[in-house]
Amino acid sequence: MRSGVRLAAAVVVLAGVVTTAGPASAAAGCAPKIQVLGSLGTSAYDPGNPQTEGVLALGAGRLSVGVSGARPVFWTGATLHRVPLPTADARGELVAANKGGLMVGRVLGADGYVFTYRAGAPAITRLPGSDYAYGDADVNDAGYVVSRDRAGVGLVWKDGLRVRELPLPGDAGPGTRLDLVTAVNNGGDVLGMARQDYEDPETGAHHQGTYPVIWPGDGGPAKPLAPTDQESRVQDLDEAGRVVGYDRYGPGYRFTPWTWAPPYSAPGTSPGVLNTHPYGTFEAIGPNSGVSVGTARFHPEEQAVPDQAQLWPGTGPVLALPRLSPNRASTAASVADDGRVGGAAVNAKGTLKPVIWTCATRQAYLPQP
């Protein structure tokens, strides 16, 4: 799973910043630091675009998965391991892992597809019917894998077999397809985003827009979430059904982080953005913690401050995670209930590195504007 520790309400002012105090259970045996993981590449940070280095999901124990040198990799602790792809020039990434060590990844490109992999296996397993890998994928602890195909159909696999299609909501209008299938929790709830693009041949009216969708784990009909006024790109959901993502509006990369909560009858809400940046995203939420993470951003052509990894404990303001090097960019993409946050950060030499913030809630702070 895309894998938070709930923050206590106490606030402590230290050294000119506001930081948050985590619970005693998080503090026990936990050393707050930025752990730099092994990497294949020497790329720089590319604002507004997918990165070729980073921790995209956190598994059990010391396992984390992601991308390095534009190749799918996983780590045990800080040690990097390559995933055996069928060709040397294939590019891709691992995007999810469950507690049993099953990893899910994507081979990118025109002939891309979704695959599963276990440490030590001689080869990856391509999932039947997956013919598109520019969307997303996820896996839960029961081994159910979710994604979508090129035709915009949501798919579910188990033990390497295709077991279910995800139908559109019953009231979906013509010209609607699934744009994204992004997450599945242990209750079997699946999260995605539908997009309509249809011109009525009789009236000439153009119907266009997006809205988030939940497929309940009990097999009930697809449930649309009340949309915001902008394009809502949903990214993750937790065990209680809380959903995180962001709105995209206007030209370029103007994002606002949003959350939705069951029963989804009201539009999502936003905690706002990090006080040093005009835009931001939520990319993941802890399975049980309510902690969400993402990246505080500027438009790539209007950079005043480098992008920065951010954390929201579920109440109060959005907080910053420390940079690996002063005035260098960072981004967060995953969070686990044990306090780890995974992502990428630029070091003093200007090189982007995959990183994990340990005891992340104890490191998070409110910058001075």
Side-chain angles (χ1 to χ4, degrees), residues 280-301:
T281 67
F282 284 155
E283 306 290 347
I285 184 170
N288 300 287
S289 67
V291 173
S292 304
V293 299
T295 303
R297 298 187 181 276
F298 274 81
H299 188 284
E301 297 176 359

Side-chain angles (χ1 to χ4, degrees), residues 173-192:
T176 302
R177 57 183 282 169
L178 292 182
D179 211 33
L180 296 169
V181 176
T182 55
V184 58
N185 64 16
N186 286 331
D189 303 323
V190 180
L191 176 68

Side-chain angles (χ1 to χ4, degrees), residues 2 95-96 104 106 114 132 134-139 144-149 152-157 164-168 177-185 188-194 211 213-215 233-237:
R2 293 172 184 236
V95 297
V104 174
R106 308 180 293 175
V114 179
Y132 180 83
Y134 290 101
D136 213 329
D138 198 15
V139 62
Y144 287 94
V145 178
V146 298
S147 189
R148 55 154 286 198
D149 66 12
V153 177
L155 301 174
V156 182
W157 296 266
R164 183 186 174 195
E165 290 188 1
L166 300 171
L168 289 167
R177 57 183 282 169
L178 292 182
D179 211 33
L180 296 169
V181 176
T182 55
V184 58
N185 64 16
D189 303 323
V190 180
L191 176 68
M193 186 179 84
Y211 55 91
V213 180
I214 289 278
W215 291 268
R233 187 182 178 97
V234 288
Q235 294 292 89
D236 199 12
L237 82 163

Side-chain angles (χ1 to χ4, degrees), residues 71-171:
R71 305 296 197 273
V73 299
F74 65 99
W75 296 267
T76 50
T79 303
L80 179 143
H81 308 273
R82 298 171 183 254
V83 172
L85 295 180
T87 60
D89 60 346
R91 296 189 169 219
E93 55 193 13
L94 287 176
V95 297
N98 69 8
K99 69 177 183 181
L102 180 65
M103 306 175 222
V104 174
R106 308 180 293 175
V107 170
L108 302 176
D111 298 320
Y113 53 87
V114 179
F115 66 85
T116 58
Y117 181 73
R118 289 188 181 275
I124 61 175
T125 298
R126 178 172 178 166
L127 295 180
S130 68
D131 58 0
Y132 180 83
Y134 290 101
D136 213 329
D138 198 15
V139 62
N140 67 9
D141 287 341
Y144 287 94
V145 178
V146 298
S147 189
R148 55 154 286 198
D149 66 12
R150 193 182 303 274
V153 177
L155 301 174
V156 182
W157 296 266
K158 179 72 163 67
D159 298 326
L161 300 176
R162 179 170 159 173
V163 297
R164 183 186 174 195
E165 290 188 1
L166 300 171
L168 289 167
D171 58 354

Side-chain angles (χ1 to χ4, degrees), residues 43 135 178 227 284 353:
S43 64
L178 292 182
K353 293 292 185 181

